[in-house]
Every structure is written in C-alpha cells, then in structure tokens.
C-alpha cells in the first residue's frame, strides 16, 4: 500500500521546519508492506496546491499524512477540519499575502479529516507524546494544502485516509528565540509519525 507523507520547507522567520526534517528522516525508513512516498512542499500558495493535487492524481496513495509547523503550539495537533479560506497573516515564500479569499470557488466551506484521530490520540499519548485534536489548521499554507488534498480526494470519491498534523517548533528554534516558545524534539515528532504510519498500514491491510 502507498502512504504519502508530506512536509514543508522553512518559511518566514523559521529557519528550520520540523515537518521537513521528519519527512527527510522517514524517506530512508522501512515499514512492513508500505510503499512510503515523501514530499517536501514549497510554502507557495500556487505551487504547493498544484504539487499535492498532481501527486495524488499520479501516485494514487492509499493514505496521506501531511505535516507542517505551528510554532506557538505546545502539542502535536491532529487537525480535524480544513476550511475553504486563504487569509494569510504573513506573506508566503513567493512574497504574496492573500486575504479573505476562497481556496475553491463554489467548494464546500470545510472538509473533515479522514484520519482516525480518535484512535490515534491514545496510541500516541501512551507513548509519551504530547498530542491533541485541534479544531483549526489556520488559514495559511497548511490549511491550503489540507483543504486542497481533501477536495481532490472528494472529487475522486476514493476512501483515502488523509489528514494534516501540526508540529510545535523544534528545541533549536526555541533556544534561539527571545520569546517563550514551546518546543518538541524531532525524536518525538518522528516517533509520532512512525506510530501513525504503522497504524494506518495495519488498518489498511485489514480492510
Ligand atoms: N506551517 C505553516 C505553513 C507551512 C508550515 O510548515 C502553516 O501552519 O500554515
């Protein structure tokens, strides 16, 4: 079975993106019965949705785990909902700041994650990973990619398990910051990603 894992390049004041780091580390991992595909997306409101849509159409993954950085979070966030809105508080890496625009004209207001967030939560917590179910993926690039992939999946009418996961900042960023910045280690991020991949693989195998 094919599982696609995506992350993002660094953006704004963040010199490092934990989602890129975990994707790079996972690309050399082996998971039983899993053809794992990894992708680092640009923080660009035109290129990122284009790349994710093309990848889903071309590779037809059975499941998608998309990761990004949410630098003020204390816990890993299993995002529950993607909204049809671009309302950037900062420009993307192309220098564009979009305000009050729909992602898909006439698209639904929102899509729910199709990841089994309720089942994943205790699994991750039992491993000592700070994690929560989050009700907002924001209105920037992460939400844009999340909404775009859920929209493509809904157009294809396939039962693909897909969702977005936000990661707190890495300790190296918190160490350099003059603000009080919560952080989580790359080791815990990676552990969480591996647990989720194995869980999806087992569930997909059963179905
Ligand atoms: N986080 C940003 C975009 C890229 C990333 O890693 C977000 O939360 O929208």
């Amino acid at each position: 079975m094919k599982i696609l894992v995506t992350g993002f390049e660094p953006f704004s004041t963040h010199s490092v993106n934990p989602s890129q780091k975990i994707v790079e580390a996972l690309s050399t991992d082996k998971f039983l019965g899993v053809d794992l595909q990894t992708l680092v997306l640009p923080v660009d409101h035109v290129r990122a949705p284009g790349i994710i849509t093309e990848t889903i159409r071309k590779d037809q993954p059975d499941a998608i785990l998309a990761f990004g950085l949410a630098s003020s979070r204390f816990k890993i966030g299993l995002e529950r909902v993607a909204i049809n809105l671009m309302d950037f508080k900062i420009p993307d890496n192309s220098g564009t700041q979009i305000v009050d625009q729909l992602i898909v004209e006439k698209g639904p207001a929102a899509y729910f994650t199709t990841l089994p967030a309720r089942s994943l939560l205790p699994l991750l917590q039992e491993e000592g990973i700070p994690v929560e179910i989050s009700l907002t993926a924001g209105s920037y690039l992460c939400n844009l990619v999340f909404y775009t992939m859920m929209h493509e999946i809904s157009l294809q009418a396939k039962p693909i398990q897909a969702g977005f996961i936000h990661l707190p900042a890495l300790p190296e960023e918190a160490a350099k910051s003059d603000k009080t910045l919560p952080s989580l280690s790359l080791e815990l991020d990676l552990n969480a990603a591996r647990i989720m991949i194995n869980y999806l693989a087992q569930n997909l195998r059963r179905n």
Side-chain angles (χ1 to χ4, degrees):
M1 85 205 43
K2 281 188 194 170
I3 301 183
L4 172 65
V5 182
T6 73
F8 275 105
E9 66 183 4
F11 64 101
S12 183
T13 55
H14 312 291
S15 57
V16 59
N17 194 322
S19 66
Q20 172 172 20
K21 295 273 179 203
I22 64 163
V23 161
E24 284 168 0
L26 291 169
S27 68
T28 53
D29 271 8
K30 295 268 171 289
F31 296 90
L32 189 70
V34 177
D35 171 7
L36 192 82
Q37 294 171 308
T38 56
L39 188 62
V40 176
L41 294 165
V43 179
D44 177 314
H45 73 286
V46 176
R47 288 168 58 218
I51 294 170
I52 193 76
T53 304
E54 271 314 298
T55 305
I56 296 171
R57 287 188 190 159
K58 183 163 62 70
D59 297 335
Q60 297 286 317
D62 300 296
I64 309 172
L65 293 171
F67 290 88
L69 163 67
S71 76
S72 57
R73 299 269 180 96
F74 285 81
K75 294 182 174 186
I76 292 179
L78 307 176
E79 297 298 346
R80 191 162 231 183
V81 58
I83 57 171
N84 189 7
L85 177 70
M86 285 183 280
D87 193 26
F88 301 174
K89 292 196 178 69
I90 50 169
D92 69 6
N93 284 354
S94 77
T96 314
Q97 184 167 358
I98 299 186
V99 179
D100 291 345
Q101 270 187 39
L102 295 177
I103 295 171
V104 178
E105 201 67 46
K106 300 202 173 88
Y111 286 105
F112 286 120
T113 185
T114 52
L115 287 182
R118 259 309 146 217
S119 311
L120 289 169
L121 192 73
L123 272 185
L124 296 165
Q125 286 168 334
E126 277 157 25
E127 293 300 317
I129 298 165
V131 61
E132 63 192 351
I133 292 181
S134 161
L135 286 177
T136 176
S139 52
Y140 189 50
L141 263 290
C142 290
N143 176 71
L144 171 59
V145 161
F146 186 14
Y147 186 92
T148 304
M149 74 187 192
M150 299 317 291
H151 186 64
E152 179 58 26
I153 289 168
S154 115
L155 293 180
Q156 291 193 10
K158 290 223 179 94
I160 299 176
Q161 292 200 311
F164 202 95
I165 300 107
H166 262 127
L167 305 170
L170 289 172
E172 62 191 271
E173 184 174 353
K176 283 191 214 130
S177 175
D178 45 17
K179 285 184 258 152
T180 307
L181 193 66
S183 65
L184 200 68
S185 71
L186 188 61
E187 196 188 336
L188 285 176
D189 287 344
L190 256 176
N191 205 358
R194 288 178 178 134
I195 290 168
M196 290 190 259
I197 292 166
N198 280 321
Y199 184 83
L200 291 181
Q202 272 168 24
N203 269 22
L204 289 168
R205 224 174 285 140
R206 238 180 271 132
N207 294 335

